[in-house]
Amino acid sequence: MFPSFCIAKASRRPRAGNTRHQLCSSPPPKWCIRKGWSLARCSSTCEVTPQESSVNLKVFESYFVEKVNSYLLKTAEAIPFFELYFFMLVSQLNTWLKNCLTVNQAKQIHAQILVNNLCSLEPRLVCQLVFSAFNFSPAVFQYVQGILWHLQKPDSFSWSCTIRYFSQHGQFKEAFILYAQMQRWGLCPSTFSISSALRACGRIGYKIGGISIHAQVNKYESCHNVYVQTALLDFYAKIGTVENAQRIFDEMDERNVVTWNSMLDGYLKYGDLALARQLFNEMPVKDIVSWNSMISGYARSRDMHRACSLFQQMPDKNLASWNAMISGFVDNGKIDLAQCYFDTMPQRNNISWITMISGYSKCGDVDSARNLFSLMQEKDQLAFNSMITCYAQNSRPKEAIQLFDEMLKANFNAQPDKMTFASVISSCSQLGDLRFGPWIESCVSRLGIEMDDHLVTALIDFYAKSGSVDKAYVLFHGLYKKDLVAYSAMILGFGLNGKVSAASELFEEMLGAQICPNSVTFTGILTAYNHAGLVEEGYQCFNSMKKYGLMPSTDHYGIMVDLLGRAGRLEEAYDLIASMPVKPHAGVWGALLLACRLHDNVKLGEVAARHCFNLEHDKTGYSSILANIYASNERWDDAKSLRKSVKHEGSAKMPGCSWIESG
DNA sequence: GTAGGGTTAG
């Protein structure tokens, strides 16, 4: 509970002769107790439940009550107690602020700040709110913004702190909005609000924002400040205009190691490794960041040899150095070496674990990923996200959703965010059950997740794959920016739902919007033609892939084989498989086998089935199709002996489970 | 105060 009574600055002089107010009358009053001497509990103004107990204040409070009662008339002795109480109250509020975790708690503490007229604590509250590790939902942002707007005294420091905190906690858009608003309040931005806002613009690639700040910087004296100049340099390096970064770098009177590092990072992002290495060699002082940046630069360009060499040469290594190496091995498909470094490193943090988990996820080793995840001591939001993503991307949607449930129950440090939902929604679309729709939407609104284009695209895929293509299209229309992924999802959605003309129109629209299709887009459009049985259009589309610099994948061949096969062009389908530059997987031969079943072709059916048998351990489905082909051709003996041999191998078909019976 | 290492959608 909050302290049982309120303290406020005396707003008017108390009436003379009233002993109750004698305490405040002389010397000139500083504070008085509003609710009288009985210290009766104020109508409970607040029910904050801070993490730390308020025992000290409570102890003091009872002591105070006792003292006040016994010294009721001895004004001079009561006042020091009273002031002390006030300071304790402030310190208690500070403690609570430190532990304030939710907007609700913040609102309650804020109410107490206002009621006690302790407005000097408001900036603290703002900073604490944004500094806390809890989720930065739009509600928090709005609340913080509200406090800043209504500060009794516009305070540049609170604004700057808030901008910096938002910028440091990945809330870049918010940081920039606050930066812009700050100036509407007539506050001159400090050098560190400028650099924070620039950082925010650089991170989200908000070019206009950063360039405006650059233009504005000249208005202030800050244009010669090394931090501001470094932030500007870094901004241009991040958005990829290295020439501008270079110009700022050249014109700087004073450079520190961060300036050099930012320039180095610019070269590395730009992909000019030789220039980066030259700068690295020229640096007057290298710190650990310089070494780490250079190592990850090499790792990103798949030069693990040079990365290793630098790693061995560097005078001091920190966690980031080891993590950069692990990440490099993971990105280069060397999970064993990554594991080796992971085992060797002197200390690990969550980044090390998460890098390994995502590494195993990328190579499809879900069990190893799960094993690492379960060994993690403190699972944070990103750890849950990486494991959920691992399940989602490795076709284990049920486990993804199960883990999401655990995450909701687990703890406060791991609240789902939009990245979590991207994978959760993806899992739901794999399950293709429309009933997940309302569940997703209620979770999203309950947790205050902002629906960005990324999430909406995942939802488009979900609704399209669950059969609600109209809803998907409505969402598609509402997208802020329709990108390649969104178009591909929608085209596939139309394709799966048999809307071939809509798919092909959308494909044209996408080309008109200068968006270059990739292999997923072609999967979508080919699926559409396949569903409609449009062989010629399919062929044309398949052949046009080269025009976009794309090699048809095994999946694309599979769709074409299916399309040709269903149309009865079995020989052609077989020739297409024979012409494949890569080895066809069982899906491709399976498509031909199915087509042979459809058209009762024993000769090709046997060939296709033989390939399927060689490629897949579980032969039951394929042999069942082949047996059916035999039966249709009245080759009862062959059908019988095939079924018998499969039974003999101990993998008898589970009754009613064959995917072919329904297909 | 600035910089480096990790998790999203088709």
Side-chain angles (χ1 to χ4, degrees):
Chain A
M1 278 295 287
F2 200 80
S4 53
F5 55 90
C6 304
I7 300 177
K9 239 173 191 166
S11 52
R12 55 182 172 187
R13 271 186 103 76
R15 278 175 294 168
N18 186 337
T19 50
R20 287 191 163 193
H21 289 104
Q22 218 166 351
L23 182 69
C24 316
S25 59
S26 170
K30 271 189 177 171
W31 308 95
C32 72
I33 297 172
R34 217 181 241 167
K35 287 288 175 181
W37 283 115
S38 63
L39 298 181
R41 306 246 148 194
C42 221
S43 57
S44 61
T45 35
C46 178
E47 297 226 354
V48 181
T49 321
Q51 301 274 309
E52 271 176 30
S53 77
S54 52
V55 62
N56 290 338
L57 190 66
K58 285 240 185 281
V59 168
F60 185 77
E61 195 185 320
S62 53
Y63 181 64
F64 181 61
V65 171
E66 188 194 311
K67 287 294 174 189
V68 165
N69 285 334
S70 55
Y71 291 104
L72 195 58
L73 299 172
K74 295 180 184 171
T75 316
E77 288 179 54
I79 284 176
F81 273 113
F82 201 73
E83 287 189 332
L84 189 53
Y85 179 78
F86 167 70
F87 284 118
M88 292 204 64
L89 179 61
V90 171
S91 98
Q92 185 63 62
L93 271 168
N94 274 317
T95 311
W96 285 353
L97 282 173
K98 220 189 288 172
N99 294 307
C100 160
L101 287 171
T102 65
V103 180
N104 237 2
Q105 285 179 348
K107 280 186 180 167
Q108 289 167 344
I109 295 174
H110 193 202
Q112 287 307 313
I113 287 175
L114 294 179
V115 123
N116 286 296
N117 208 7
L118 303 176
C119 293
S120 60
L121 286 179
E122 274 191 305
R124 255 310 302 280
L125 176 69
V126 174
C127 295
Q128 177 54 38
L129 261 175
V130 288
F131 189 63
S132 305
F134 64 87
N135 72 63
F136 287 92
S137 59
V140 175
F141 178 65
Q142 274 172 17
Y143 182 59
V144 169
Q145 201 181 31
I147 298 179
L148 284 174
W149 281 4
H150 296 106
L151 282 180
Q152 291 214 334
K153 213 172 78 185
D155 170 39
S156 175
F157 182 74
S158 325
W159 282 85
S160 300
C161 275
T162 313
I163 293 166
R164 186 168 60 88
Y165 285 138
F166 272 111
S167 159
Q168 279 181 338
H169 287 81
Q171 302 299 297
F172 305 120
K173 215 168 67 189
E174 288 78 4
F176 185 80
I177 292 172
L178 286 179
Y179 179 80
Q181 282 172 353
M182 175 183 182
Q183 281 149 83
R184 261 185 255 151
W185 287 89
L187 294 165
C188 176
S190 61
T191 53
F192 79 92
S193 65
I194 297 175
S195 46
S196 302
L198 278 168
R199 179 183 195 269
C201 293
R203 292 300 176 94
I204 51 175
Y206 184 34
K207 294 183 187 179
I208 308 285
I211 293 167
S212 319
I213 297 176
H214 189 181
Q216 185 200 28
V217 156
N218 296 321
K219 259 176 39 187
Y220 303 105
E221 288 175 0
S222 47
C223 61
H224 294 298
N225 179 285
V226 66
Y227 294 118
V228 171
Q229 285 178 317
T230 302
L232 270 172
L233 190 165
D234 188 59
F235 163 73
Y236 284 115
K238 289 261 187 309
I239 62 166
T241 40
V242 185
E243 323 80 72
N244 287 347
Q246 175 80 62
R247 200 162 54 203
I248 293 168
F249 182 79
D250 291 341
E251 287 170 2
M252 280 174 82
D253 307 321
E254 183 198 341
R255 296 175 193 137
N256 60 25
V257 68
V258 180
T259 321
W260 283 86
N261 285 342
S262 300
M263 195 62 242
L264 178 66
D265 191 50
Y267 286 143
L268 290 169
K269 291 258 158 55
Y270 192 61
D272 198 333
L273 269 173
L275 215 52
R277 184 58 195 253
Q278 199 184 331
L279 191 86
F280 179 77
N281 292 340
E282 283 171 11
M283 284 178 78
V285 179
K286 294 182 191 66
D287 68 357
I288 204 156
V289 177
S290 332
W291 288 89
N292 289 348
S293 303
M294 204 61 224
I295 288 175
S296 22
Y298 279 132
R300 268 197 304 269
S301 62
R302 302 186 171 271
D303 190 347
M304 284 314 284
H305 183 68
R306 285 204 169 87
C308 282
S309 152
L310 278 186
F311 183 73
Q312 276 154 13
Q313 280 175 49
M314 66 190 296
D316 292 306
K317 298 173 180 66
N318 65 2
L319 262 167
S321 329
W322 286 90
N323 288 340
M325 289 302 287
I326 294 178
S327 162
F329 285 126
V330 161
D331 290 342
N332 287 285
K334 304 242 173 12
I335 190 74
D336 294 346
L337 278 169
Q339 180 72 55
C340 182
Y341 273 68
F342 180 78
D343 292 337
T344 320
M345 65 195 293
Q347 271 184 323
R348 297 175 197 102
N349 63 1
N350 274 13
I351 296 178
S352 333
W353 289 88
I354 292 165
T355 310
M356 287 305 297
I357 291 174
S358 65
Y360 279 117
S361 169
K362 276 169 202 153
C363 62
D365 188 348
V366 183
D367 294 338
S368 299
R370 178 70 209 209
N371 188 32
L372 283 174
F373 179 74
S374 54
L375 287 171
M376 272 184 90
Q377 290 292 315
E378 282 176 24
K379 300 176 177 71
D380 62 4
Q381 184 191 58
L382 271 73
F384 271 98
N385 284 1
S386 61
M387 195 59 227
I388 291 172
T389 302
C390 173
Y391 282 134
Q393 289 180 345
N394 286 285
S395 311
R396 287 163 72 160
K398 282 183 185 162
E399 282 153 288
I401 293 170
Q402 204 177 340
L403 189 60
F404 171 71
D405 269 339
E406 279 174 40
M407 186 182 185
L408 286 176
K409 288 178 208 145
N411 55 45
F412 226 89
N413 294 326
Q415 285 299 296
D417 65 352
K418 55 185 179 186
M419 293 198 183
T420 327
F421 269 91
S423 294
V424 169
I425 298 173
S426 162
S427 305
C428 294
S429 30
Q430 288 172 44
L431 294 169
D433 190 336
L434 205 52
R435 283 173 298 181
F436 279 115
W439 175 74
I440 295 168
E441 285 178 19
S442 79
C443 280
V444 162
S445 79
R446 187 158 44 86
L447 294 162
I449 309 284
E450 186 198 2
M451 286 301 288
D452 62 358
D453 279 2
H454 226 104
L455 276 187
V456 173
T457 305
L459 264 185
I460 290 170
D461 180 60
F462 165 75
Y463 281 115
K465 284 187 179 151
S466 310
S468 186
V469 72
D470 293 340
K471 181 143 191 184
Y473 194 54
V474 170
L475 287 172
F476 179 75
H477 250 303
L479 282 174
Y480 177 70
K481 191 169 180 286
K482 298 177 179 69
D483 67 358
L484 172 66
V485 182
Y487 270 108
S488 303
M490 198 61 237
I491 290 169
L492 180 67
F494 280 137
L496 288 171
N497 288 278
K499 303 205 171 210
V500 64
S501 55
S504 117
E505 277 164 27
L506 203 60
F507 184 68
E508 292 300 324
E509 185 188 309
M510 183 184 131
L511 297 179
Q514 308 294 319
I515 297 173
C516 190
N518 69 3
S519 65
V520 184
T521 327
F522 277 100
T523 304
I525 191 76
L526 283 175
T527 302
Y529 292 135
N530 187 18
H531 271 241
L534 298 173
V535 180
E536 294 317 316
E537 285 82 349
Y539 251 135
Q540 212 175 3
C541 180
F542 182 78
N543 292 329
S544 75
M545 286 183 75
K546 276 187 218 125
K547 211 168 70 189
Y548 299 97
L550 298 168
M551 287 287 288
S553 72
T554 324
D555 287 343
H556 296 123
Y557 277 100
I559 301 170
M560 281 309 291
V561 168
D562 195 47
L563 175 55
L564 289 167
R566 281 174 197 272
R569 293 156 74 161
L570 296 172
E571 294 290 338
E572 228 174 307
Y574 177 79
D575 291 343
L576 189 67
I577 298 177
S579 75
M580 280 176 70
V582 285
K583 199 181 165 199
H585 57 50
V588 180
W589 287 113
L592 182 65
L593 181 61
L594 266 172
C596 293
R597 162 77 184 89
L598 202 65
H599 298 282
D600 297 331
N601 186 318
V602 179
K603 197 181 120 207
L604 275 177
E606 281 177 330
V607 176
R610 201 178 325 121
H611 280 101
C612 290
F613 292 160
N614 289 336
L615 290 164
E616 286 274 315
H617 177 71
D618 183 11
K619 302 174 176 58
T620 44
Y622 302 117
S623 58
S624 160
I625 306 170
L626 184 60
N628 285 335
I629 298 175
Y630 285 139
S632 306
N633 286 273
E634 296 182 0
R635 287 170 58 170
W636 309 112
D637 292 344
D638 289 324
K640 206 171 167 184
S641 68
L642 182 65
R643 288 204 169 109
K644 206 170 167 183
S645 75
V646 170
K647 223 174 211 172
H648 185 69
E649 280 180 35
S651 52
K653 189 168 81 75
M654 291 286 286
C657 284
S658 169
W659 49 274
I660 194 59
E661 300 296 339
S662 55

